[in-house]
Amino acid sequence: MTLFREPLLHFAVIGVVLFGGYSWLHDEQPAAADEPVRVGEGDVRWLKQTWSSQWLRNPTEDELKGLVDDLLNERLMAREAKEMGLDQDDTVIRRRLAQKLRFIVEDTAQLAEPTEAELRQLYAANRSRFETPGRLSFKQIYFDPEHRADAAAEAKTVLTELNALGESEPASDRLLLGNRFDDASELAISGMFGADFAREVFAVEPGQWRGPVKSGYGLHLVFVMQRTATTPKPFETVKGDVLAEWRRLKQTELSRDFLAALRKKYGVELEDGVKAALASAPEPKVAGK
């Protein structure tokens, strides 16, 4: 796998795909202005396959003739549009071309096959991505700050009474989410009450009232009844997920290297006003970093 990590090989593969793949699929070479618009056997195969994928049958002779006519008309219109310069400085066309190139660049990552050792290394470095999340069952007493003069003080008083005096649970202020939650993941609790609330509740030991814990709604006393710890999944059971993550990271790496090479190849110039506007902006985050 050392060979595939070389950037020069990345760009060589991309070049082969870019300059050879399209012509091989479509039997089409860049045409000069005075050359006729051509439809080859590869185009017809592509038209048939596209039709069959959509309609689950082969096109009839008349349908195939219509498909070829449509392709010819499209290419004639495109040729004339280019002759008229309509492709210049067109945002839609520019974005479409960039998108097509991006797809080609990312697809080259599929040519790589990681070793078992590489997958295990990725698994070991990212165990939190490949684990069974812990779950929690708890009940809560909600103190609505909009309906209480001092919700924090009242919550602390009730907490003392519950734990020290063994008082019965007082009625909770009304909360549409309810007051009891069974076998909920941290992600689910975070979605209901916020990440800080979920993190704090998951740190509570079962069997005693704790709090007050703050959420976006107000303050809560929580009683954890049962907690299941997060457990890692064995490598063998998540190997497919690890491979998918490896390919995602490889695509990100390849795209980043390719764009860096393009900047070096063509050069990038920013006018002084643009430089000044960007000077105070934070550095953009790079995916995969």
Side-chain angles (χ1 to χ4, degrees):
M1 291 308 301
T2 303
L3 179 61
F4 196 83
R5 292 196 186 95
E6 293 297 327
L8 289 178
L9 180 59
H10 291 174
F11 305 135
V13 171
I14 292 171
V16 170
V17 175
L18 284 175
F19 300 113
Y22 187 84
S23 296
W24 179 78
L25 286 173
H26 298 281
D27 291 343
E28 182 181 25
Q29 298 294 335
D34 58 348
E35 290 184 2
V37 173
R38 178 174 178 270
V39 174
E41 293 180 1
D43 295 307
V44 174
R45 286 196 299 271
W46 175 75
L47 290 171
K48 287 182 176 180
Q49 291 170 0
T50 303
W51 176 277
S52 298
S53 297
Q54 181 176 0
W55 301 105
L56 303 179
R57 64 174 177 83
N58 291 326
T60 65
E61 291 184 3
D62 288 342
E63 288 168 339
L64 182 58
K65 182 179 183 302
L67 293 174
V68 172
D69 285 342
D70 288 343
L71 179 60
L72 277 171
N73 292 339
E74 179 183 286
R75 289 183 176 175
L76 287 167
M77 295 287 285
R79 174 81 70 85
E80 183 63 15
K82 291 187 67 175
E83 288 292 313
M84 296 171 64
L86 299 182
D87 60 327
Q88 301 298 316
D89 297 322
D90 187 293
T91 302
V92 175
I93 292 176
R94 183 176 67 249
R95 288 177 179 173
R96 179 59 175 158
L97 289 173
Q99 183 186 54
K100 290 181 70 174
L101 179 58
R102 185 178 297 111
F103 289 157
I104 293 173
V105 172
E106 291 177 351
D107 282 348
T108 61
Q110 301 301 318
L111 299 174
E113 287 297 333
T115 64
E116 180 88 359
E118 286 177 311
L119 291 181
R120 287 186 177 276
Q121 182 179 7
L122 177 62
Y123 167 79
N126 299 272
R127 288 186 181 275
S128 61
R129 291 178 177 266
F130 313 108
E131 61 186 13
T132 300
R135 306 188 79 83
L136 201 67
S137 295
F138 72 98
K139 56 185 176 179
Q140 60 95 26
I141 302 172
Y142 171 55
F143 295 81
D144 188 347
E146 293 186 0
H147 294 87
R148 293 178 180 266
D150 191 342
E154 293 185 52
K156 291 176 182 178
T157 298
V158 171
L159 178 65
T160 300
E161 294 173 350
L162 287 173
N163 287 331
L165 305 178
E167 295 287 338
S168 59
E169 297 175 24
S172 171
D173 291 340
R174 186 169 182 270
L175 186 65
L176 292 178
L177 294 173
N179 295 321
R180 183 184 176 105
F181 306 87
D182 295 311
D183 200 31
S185 68
E186 184 171 350
L187 181 62
I189 297 172
S190 177
M192 291 184 286
F193 294 98
D196 291 340
F197 178 92
R199 192 179 304 111
E200 190 168 347
V201 170
F202 258 83
V204 171
E205 289 297 326
Q208 195 170 19
W209 285 98
R210 288 288 184 268
V213 182
K214 187 177 181 180
S215 77
Y217 301 101
L219 297 173
H220 310 254
L221 298 181
V222 297
F223 185 95
V224 174
M225 296 170 288
Q226 185 176 11
R227 184 177 63 193
T228 303
T230 298
T231 56
K233 297 179 182 178
F235 172 78
E236 289 74 15
T237 65
V238 294
K239 186 174 181 180
D241 294 333
V242 178
L243 176 59
E245 177 65 7
W246 185 91
R247 293 198 186 283
R248 185 189 70 80
L249 294 174
K250 182 61 65 176
Q251 284 184 341
T252 300
E253 176 190 350
L254 185 55
S255 297
R256 184 176 63 246
D257 292 347
F258 185 65
L259 287 171
L262 291 182
R263 285 177 175 247
K264 184 176 180 180
K265 177 180 179 180
Y266 294 109
V268 175
E269 293 183 358
L270 301 178
E271 293 182 356
D272 292 341
V274 177
K275 292 180 181 178
L278 296 178
S280 59
E283 287 292 324
K285 293 183 179 180
V286 178
K289 285 293 189 179

